[in-house]
């Protein structure tokens, strides 16, 4: 990639390496020769000061009547060491220089040297020293020497001299010591230009090799940095697509490791938050759906109640007006009117009671009183109480259980459930007119089922029969006086027991069932 950090880092390091090499090359070319000369001058100054100190020490020892031979040997040794260690020729002359004129009319001088001893200086050196001292004392230029003054103080001067005979440069110091002696220091000044060219050429090679190595090393290092960044970028993209399964493997404690840890934490937090949001959204949808359903139920409930009460109220009103207007004078007719009014009022009263009972169960006002009782005895009691109606319907009620079976439930509520099931079976009997009540043992519970022969419930109505006032066959329900509340009460009672109930269609009839706990 054109904008990759890897290439940016590589380019930056390469530029830095080349820049450093070029800077060194420029400094060498422009300042190394001057610095070399400056170093030589400083060394000569330092040597002059040390020679000064040596002679001061000699004078102090002489004033203390120390052996002259010992003092002279110490001085000579010190000067020899100083010259050898600093690669400087040291000459010290006494101040009684003698002058003479040769046969050519030239002035010459005799140099009584204090150091080194005169015997150690050969004739050629004596002549050369004489010429140099003559030059510094009288400004008389010596043939074959080109001079340039570098530094001048009260005690000495420093010069750069080119010796044509030796074809070499020298840095020389000529001056006087505090004791009046002349001092002449000479050191070779090698040409640094060639060394600078060689050094710069070497730096060029080093720069090229360094740049190549820098590129390779930087690519390797930057790749180790950018690889986890690419990995983190991929994880971030997956997080953007709500995929939180991928985690960054943290292997270091540096900034990349801290970033990976933060990404992992962020992923976990986002997954948790989104999961909570989804749960909250599902709950909200469920609440909205329940609200819509409750609103629909409320509307339907009002419509059904209005419809259920409208007919008996109209009958009661009509027959009551008839009695008031004395439509019929005979006592039998009046009694009939009164019986109709009482019967319709009784139906209204029964429906209101059942609605109140259902409301109390649904809203938890009528808590189930859990106790142990014999379900077989309870079923037999319900069968006996509905025996007259069964005979009237010519129904054959079958229940084969005789041994007691204990269950845990609210006996009154379960009696209501069985009564509703049996009454519902009696009202929908057909064909063989058989009602078969059975008990089926299961693990920890028992299933009670009430089967009646007749027409199956339409599939589209199976889930709706538990809704208040819902009637599959409205005309038939009106015929036996049903109001569609019985099965709603059954559903509410079983919900209060945290147990299931349901209905199963068969080819020749319908089976209603519910389950109860046999142990706690």
């Amino acid at each position: 990639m054109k904008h990759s950090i890897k290439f940016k880092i590589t380019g930056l390091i390469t530029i830095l390496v080349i820049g450093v090499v070029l800077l060194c090359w420029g400094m060498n070319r422009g300042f190394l020769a001057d610095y070399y000369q400056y170093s030589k001058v400083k060394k000569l100054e330092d040597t002059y000061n040390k020679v000064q100190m040596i002679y001061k020490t000699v004078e102090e020892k002489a004033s203390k009547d120390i052996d002259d031979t010992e003092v002279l040997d110490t001085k000579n040794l010190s000067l020899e060491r100083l010259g050898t260690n600093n690669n400087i020729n040291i000459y010290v002359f006494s101040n009684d220089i003698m002058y003479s004129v040769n046969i050519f009319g030239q002035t010459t001088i005799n140099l009584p040297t204090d150091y080194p001893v005169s015997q150690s200086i050969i004739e050629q050196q004596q002549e050369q020293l004489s010429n140099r001292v003559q030059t510094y004392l009288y400004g008389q230029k010596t043939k074959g020497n080109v001079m340039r003054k570098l530094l001048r103080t009260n005690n000495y001067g420093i010069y750069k001299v080119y010796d044509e005979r030796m074809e070499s440069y020298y840095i020389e110091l000529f001056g006087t010591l505090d004791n009046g002696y002349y001092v002449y220091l000479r050191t070779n000044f090698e040409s640094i230009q060639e060394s600078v060219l060689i050094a710069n050429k070497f730096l060029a090679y080093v720069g090229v090799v360094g740049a190549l190595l820098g590129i390779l090393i930087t690519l390797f290092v930057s790749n180790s940095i950018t690889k986890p960044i690419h990995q983190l970028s991929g994880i971030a993209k997956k997080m953007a697509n709500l995929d939180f399964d991928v985690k960054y493997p943290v292997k270091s404690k540096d900034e990349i490791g801290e970033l990976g840890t933060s990404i992992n934490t962020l992923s976990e937090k986002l997954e948790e938050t989104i999961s909570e949001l989804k749960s909250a959204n599902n709950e909200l949808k469920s609440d909205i759906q329940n609200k819509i359903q409750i609103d629909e139920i409320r509307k339907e409930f009002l419509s059904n109640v209005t419809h259920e009460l409208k007919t008996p109220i109209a009958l009661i009103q009509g027959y009551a007006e008839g009695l008031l207007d004395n439509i019929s004078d005979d006592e039998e007719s009046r009694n009939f009117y009164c019986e109709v009014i009482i019967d319709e009022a009784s139906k209204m009263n029964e429906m209101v009671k059942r609605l109140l009972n259902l409301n109390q169960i649904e809203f938890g006002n009528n808590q189930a009183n859990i106790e142990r009782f014999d379900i077989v005895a309870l079923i037999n009691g319900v069968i006996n109480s509905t025996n007259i109606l069964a005979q009237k319907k010519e129904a054959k009620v079958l229940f084969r259980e005789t041994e007691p079976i204990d269950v845990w439930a609210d006996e009154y509520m379960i009696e209501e459930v069985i009564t509703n099931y049996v009454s519902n079976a009696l009202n929908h009997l057909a064909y063989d007119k058989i009602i078969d009540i059975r008990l089926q043992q299961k693990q920890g519970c028992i299933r009670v089922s009430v089967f009646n022969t007749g027409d199956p419930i339409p599939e589209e109505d199976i889930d709706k029969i538990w809704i208040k006032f819902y009637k599959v066959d409205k005309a038939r329900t009106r015929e036996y006086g049903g109001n569609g509340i019985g099965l709603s009460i059954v559903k509410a009672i079983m919900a209060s027991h945290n147990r299931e109930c349901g209905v199963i269609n068969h080819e020749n009839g319908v089976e209603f069932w519910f389950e109860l706990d046999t142990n706690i």
Side-chain angles (χ1 to χ4, degrees):
M1 293 188 297
K2 182 172 65 175
H3 302 291
S4 173
I5 294 177
K6 178 167 64 177
F7 294 121
K8 288 181 179 179
I9 294 176
T10 303
L12 179 62
I13 297 299
T14 303
I15 291 172
L16 286 175
V17 171
I18 295 174
V20 170
V21 172
L22 288 176
L23 179 63
C24 292
W25 181 85
M27 294 291 289
N28 278 351
R29 187 176 181 84
F31 303 102
L32 185 59
D34 293 337
Y35 180 74
Y36 177 68
Q37 178 177 289
Y38 169 79
S39 299
K40 286 290 186 180
V41 170
K42 293 298 291 182
K43 183 178 285 189
L44 286 177
E45 287 186 295
D46 185 57
T47 303
Y48 170 83
N49 292 327
K50 289 180 179 179
V51 170
Q52 189 85 273
M53 290 299 298
I54 290 172
Y55 273 90
K56 283 184 179 180
T57 303
V58 168
E59 291 175 359
E60 290 176 359
K61 290 182 178 180
S63 64
K64 296 179 182 179
D65 296 329
I66 300 175
D67 184 14
D68 291 341
T69 304
E70 182 182 349
V71 172
L72 181 61
D73 291 341
T74 303
K75 178 201 69 174
N76 290 338
L77 179 60
S78 298
L79 290 173
E80 185 179 358
R81 287 176 179 173
L82 181 61
T84 302
N85 292 335
N86 291 281
N87 194 25
I88 295 175
N89 294 326
I90 301 174
Y91 301 96
V92 181
F93 311 103
S94 62
N95 51 7
D96 53 350
I97 299 177
M98 301 183 64
Y99 307 91
S100 62
V101 179
N102 58 25
I103 58 175
F104 299 104
Q106 295 176 334
T107 302
T108 61
I109 61 174
N110 295 320
L111 300 174
T113 58
D114 185 70
Y115 175 83
V117 294
S118 301
Q119 292 83 353
S120 62
I121 301 176
I122 62 177
E123 183 178 352
Q124 185 179 1
Q125 287 178 321
Q126 181 71 26
E127 182 182 355
Q128 185 179 6
L129 286 172
S130 177
N131 291 336
R132 301 304 300 144
V133 171
Q134 185 175 344
T135 300
Y136 289 124
L137 285 174
Y138 305 111
Q140 181 179 348
K141 292 186 177 181
T142 305
K143 183 180 179 182
N145 291 286
V146 180
M147 294 175 55
R148 182 166 67 89
K149 183 172 67 175
L150 300 178
L151 179 66
R152 182 67 188 175
T153 68
N154 293 331
N155 295 327
Y156 58 84
I158 299 178
Y159 306 88
K160 183 178 181 180
V161 178
Y162 179 72
D163 190 336
E164 292 183 354
R165 187 177 68 84
M166 300 301 296
E167 295 184 350
S168 180
Y169 281 96
Y170 294 89
I171 302 293
E172 298 179 351
L173 181 148
F174 186 84
T176 58
L177 300 175
D178 291 343
N179 59 6
Y181 283 15
Y182 294 104
V183 61
Y184 172 57
L185 306 178
R186 191 184 199 209
T187 183
N188 184 265
F189 185 76
E190 301 169 355
S191 177
I192 198 67
Q193 296 300 327
E194 185 178 358
S195 299
V196 169
L197 292 174
I198 294 173
N200 284 341
K201 190 174 182 180
F202 177 74
L203 278 175
Y205 291 137
V206 170
V208 172
V209 175
L212 293 175
L213 287 176
I215 291 172
L216 294 176
I217 294 173
T218 306
L219 283 173
F220 175 77
V221 174
S222 59
N223 186 63
S224 65
I225 295 174
T226 55
K227 184 177 180 180
I229 293 177
H230 284 304
Q231 193 174 358
L232 288 170
S233 176
I235 293 174
K237 289 179 181 178
K238 290 187 177 181
M239 288 171 59
N241 294 324
L242 303 182
D243 181 4
F244 303 104
D245 293 332
V246 181
K247 295 292 186 292
Y248 178 75
V250 179
K251 299 178 180 178
S252 62
K253 296 183 179 180
D254 55 9
E255 289 81 356
I256 297 294
E258 291 179 1
L259 179 60
T261 302
S262 300
I263 288 289
N264 291 341
T265 304
L266 177 62
S267 175
E268 293 172 0
K269 292 293 183 182
L270 282 175
E271 184 176 15
E272 182 180 347
T273 303
I274 290 175
S275 178
E276 291 176 356
L277 285 174
K278 285 183 177 180
S279 299
N281 186 49
N282 291 335
E283 290 179 4
L284 181 60
K285 287 181 179 179
S286 177
D287 291 343
I288 293 173
Q289 189 64 32
N290 290 336
K291 183 179 180 301
I292 294 173
Q293 187 176 358
I294 290 171
D295 191 54
E296 292 294 327
I297 291 173
R298 180 182 61 81
K299 292 178 182 179
E300 186 177 357
F301 174 77
L302 290 175
S303 176
N304 290 330
V305 169
T306 303
H307 178 75
E308 291 294 332
L309 293 179
K310 181 174 65 175
T311 301
I313 289 174
L315 289 173
I316 291 172
Q317 183 181 3
Y319 280 98
E321 288 175 354
L323 288 174
L324 184 63
D325 295 338
N326 292 318
I327 293 178
S328 178
D329 294 334
D330 61 292
E331 186 177 352
E332 185 178 352
S333 296
R334 287 197 300 272
N335 290 336
F336 174 75
Y337 282 12
C338 289
E339 288 176 358
V340 171
I341 292 172
I342 293 170
D343 184 55
E344 293 300 325
S346 177
K347 288 180 180 179
M348 290 173 58
N349 184 51
E350 179 66 21
M351 183 179 69
V352 170
K353 285 182 179 180
R354 302 195 78 179
L355 283 174
L356 290 174
N357 186 29
L358 176 60
N359 184 70
Q360 288 179 343
I361 295 172
E362 285 182 337
F363 288 94
N365 295 328
N366 189 8
Q367 295 291 332
N369 181 25
I370 306 299
E371 58 183 353
R372 188 172 66 174
F373 62 90
D374 182 9
I375 187 68
V376 175
L378 182 63
I379 293 173
N380 285 324
V382 172
I383 292 173
N384 291 333
S385 63
T386 57
N387 188 43
I388 296 175
L389 183 59
Q391 289 179 0
K392 185 177 179 180
K393 296 275 187 177
E394 298 180 354
K396 184 178 182 181
V397 180
L398 304 178
F399 182 58
R400 301 173 183 82
E401 298 291 339
T402 56
E403 297 296 325
I405 300 176
D406 290 338
V407 295
W408 291 89
D410 186 309
E411 187 173 1
Y412 171 77
M413 289 185 176
I414 299 305
E415 183 179 5
E416 178 80 6
V417 171
I418 297 173
T419 301
N420 273 298
Y421 275 180
V422 173
S423 298
N424 189 68
L426 287 171
N427 292 327
H428 292 84
L429 272 176
Y431 312 133
D432 296 336
K433 295 185 177 181
I434 295 174
I435 297 176
D436 189 5
I437 303 174
R438 295 186 180 185
L439 301 180
Q440 182 182 357
Q441 293 278 1
K442 292 189 173 184
Q443 185 176 2
C445 70
I446 190 170
R447 172 175 286 198
V448 180
S449 61
V450 179
F451 169 81
N452 66 275
T453 56
D455 295 327
I457 300 172
E459 289 298 327
E460 63 272 14
D461 294 325
I462 285 241
D463 295 330
K464 301 176 183 177
I465 60 175
W466 308 99
I467 301 174
K468 289 187 288 288
F469 298 110
Y470 187 82
K471 302 169 185 177
V472 177
D473 188 347
K474 294 181 174 58
R476 185 171 180 181
T477 305
R478 166 56 58 184
E479 180 181 329
Y480 63 79
N483 46 38
I485 300 175
L487 291 179
S488 300
I489 292 176
V490 169
K491 190 74 172 179
I493 289 174
M494 297 317 300
S496 69
H497 283 74
N498 294 318
R499 299 304 303 182
E500 298 293 328
C501 63
V503 59
I504 303 172
N505 274 330
H506 296 277
E507 291 182 359
N508 60 337
V510 179
E511 175 189 350
F512 284 88
W513 60 269
F514 67 93
E515 293 179 349
L516 295 174
D517 293 322
T518 55
N519 52 51
I520 293 182

